Amino acid sequence: MTRYTTIVSLFAFATTAIALQTSPGLAFSSEAQQMCTGDAMRLCSSEIPDISRIRACMVRNKAQVSPGCRAVMDREHAAARKREAAAQ
């Protein structure tokens, strides 16, 4: 792998991790990083580095993400809703 490819991959990984966070105070799971980085690069690379646009793009393209990424997105969304309900 060339140095450029490595740098781009690391940047994409970090950007995707931040973009798919369910809330600013929570760390992004390593499972979600593994499952969704490729989808984010494939579907939303034009949105990098705008975090909110990447997040919106992933949600908008949820039907096109891999089954593993979709499952992680669903779990994290459900967990976020549960936290919101508990906070009220």
Side-chain angles (χ1 to χ4, degrees), residues 23-86:
S23 74
L26 298 174
F28 186 65
S29 71
S30 61
E31 178 188 20
Q33 291 172 355
Q34 288 177 328
M35 300 306 259
C36 297
T37 298
D39 291 316
M41 286 301 298
R42 178 174 53 88
L43 299 168
C44 305
S45 61
S46 63
E47 309 302 334
I48 294 172
D50 189 318
I51 304 304
S52 60
R53 287 177 53 188
I54 296 169
R55 183 179 294 128
C57 175
M58 290 296 286
V59 170
R60 188 172 54 249
N61 290 294
K62 187 174 179 181
Q64 297 175 14
V65 301
S66 64
C69 181
R70 189 176 310 116
V72 169
M73 289 173 72
D74 289 342
R75 277 194 306 271
E76 291 190 358
H77 179 71
R81 289 183 58 148
K82 187 176 181 179
R83 282 191 301 273
E84 289 173 8

